[in-house]
Amino acid sequence: MISVKEAEDILGRSLLPIHLETVPLDKSLGRVLAEEIVADRDFPPYNRVTMDGIAIKGAYYEKGQAVYKIEKVVAAGEPRYAIKDESSCVEIMTGAVLPDGLDTVIRYEDVTIENGEATILVDNVKTGQNVHGKGTDRTKGEPIVPKGRVMGAAEIAIGATVGKTHLKVHKLPSVVIVSTGDELVPIDQTPEPHQIRASNALMLQAAVQSLGLPVAIRHLTDDHEAVIKGVRQLLNDFEILVFIGGSSRGKYDYIPETLEENGVSRYFYKVKQRPGKPFWFGAREAGNQFVFALPGNPVSCFLCMEKYFKPWLKNSLGVVEHKEMATLKEDIHFKPPLTYFAPVRLEYKGGQYTAIPMSGQGSGDLANLADADAFMQLPEDQQTFPTGSTYPIIKYRHAL
Ligand code: AMP
Ligand code: MG
């Protein structure tokens, strides 16, 4: 048996190797960027007008000139114009190129236009106003989006602006979730009194999908031959295998031994924690293939998923996780020398979380997951966790 810290350290050292692939920009949402997105030209690429109105040379206004002859009307999308008489003006539209010789834009609301002339009505014009200067956001060649960023709508817009039709991103590993157990029936069936619906595989599928990965689901019966055959096949087909159940001390718990017989090295088995003790983790083929065997008990399975599997997967994909803490609002007592992941409800006030312990939860009590918001991680070397003390939380409700 190993400690929570040792389990975390082993997982942190055993990440999936990074492979890259190129995808079209419009298919890159949620993917981890493996190259910088760089400005292909100055941004903005020209002195860009930011208001509909007139453009003048500010020096004339500063000398007291209020009336300007209109030399031309300039629209967005027209090539750059050079003013012939710098004491005149142009009418100009948002997004247009500021003509050579002019430097200041006054919005239509602050002028009147009559008989081919514009008259400025306000006395607060500043030379250079309403012009977004060429290269003031980024100059050509400067990075805009760093490597490692998860592509969102803003990053896609930037990619589009610099003409990146394709991007290099981290390749997505193939993931399979494998439930085990003869008591399980599919969710659209009515279970017999001795059966239950299989819930864990869908829970894990949701977690994997939330990271944008495709995921397959399989089921193995509690038959030794079926487990041996199934495990061999799955090891041929997938890079990340997550087994559920069948990894404890029961007569029909064949998963750990079958994995080890098929060349998967055990990195650890059993973690000093509650819930989730019978948790097995290993790898095959010099760390190109990773196998998790999570306890079948729904709350144990959920805890192992949130505490270990999801962070490992994120870490492997290059996504940075932030640790969060909360302060206890009531005492917790827990005697066994195990790390206790206490289900808590969270309150958020003044930028801090307060945790209210939820009573009466066994590790099979799936329904109570809906009432709690997080697990609080309470260290194994203490038995009393007093009100006001602060511990890490694994928050699984994200609307908070
Ligand atoms: P096991 O680890 O196979 O001994 O299973 C421990 C407990 O978890 C048993 O009560 C199982 O019925 C339950 N269990 C195992 N797999 C699942 C699953 N996929 N969905 C819901 N419960 C499960
Ligand atoms: Mg079982």
Coordinates of all heavy atoms in Angstrom, one line a residue, residues 180-181 183 222 246 253, ligand 2:
T180 N -16.7 -4.2 -15.5 CA -16.7 -5.6 -15.3 C -17.8 -6.0 -14.3 O -18.1 -5.1 -13.4 CB -15.3 -6.1 -14.7 OG1 -15.2 -5.5 -13.4 CG2 -14.1 -5.6 -15.6
G181 N -18.3 -7.2 -14.4 CA -19.2 -7.6 -13.3 C -20.5 -8.2 -13.9 O -21.1 -7.6 -14.8
E183 N -23.2 -8.5 -12.3 CA -24.4 -7.9 -11.7 C -24.9 -6.7 -12.5 O -26.0 -6.2 -12.2 CB -24.2 -7.5 -10.3 CG -23.3 -6.3 -10.0 CD -21.8 -6.6 -10.2 OE1 -21.4 -7.5 -10.9 OE2 -21.0 -5.8 -9.5
D222 N -17.6 -11.6 -15.5 CA -16.7 -12.1 -14.4 C -16.2 -13.5 -14.8 O -16.4 -14.4 -13.9 CB -17.4 -12.0 -13.1 CG -17.4 -10.6 -12.5 OD1 -16.5 -9.8 -12.9 OD2 -18.3 -10.3 -11.8
G246 N -13.6 -5.3 -10.3 CA -12.8 -6.6 -10.5 C -11.4 -6.4 -10.1 O -10.5 -7.2 -10.5
D253 N -12.3 -11.3 -9.0 CA -11.6 -10.1 -9.3 C -10.3 -10.5 -10.1 O -9.2 -10.6 -9.4 CB -11.3 -9.3 -8.0 CG -12.6 -8.7 -7.5 OD1 -13.6 -8.7 -8.2 OD2 -12.6 -8.4 -6.3
Ligands
MG2 MG -17.0 -7.0 -9.7

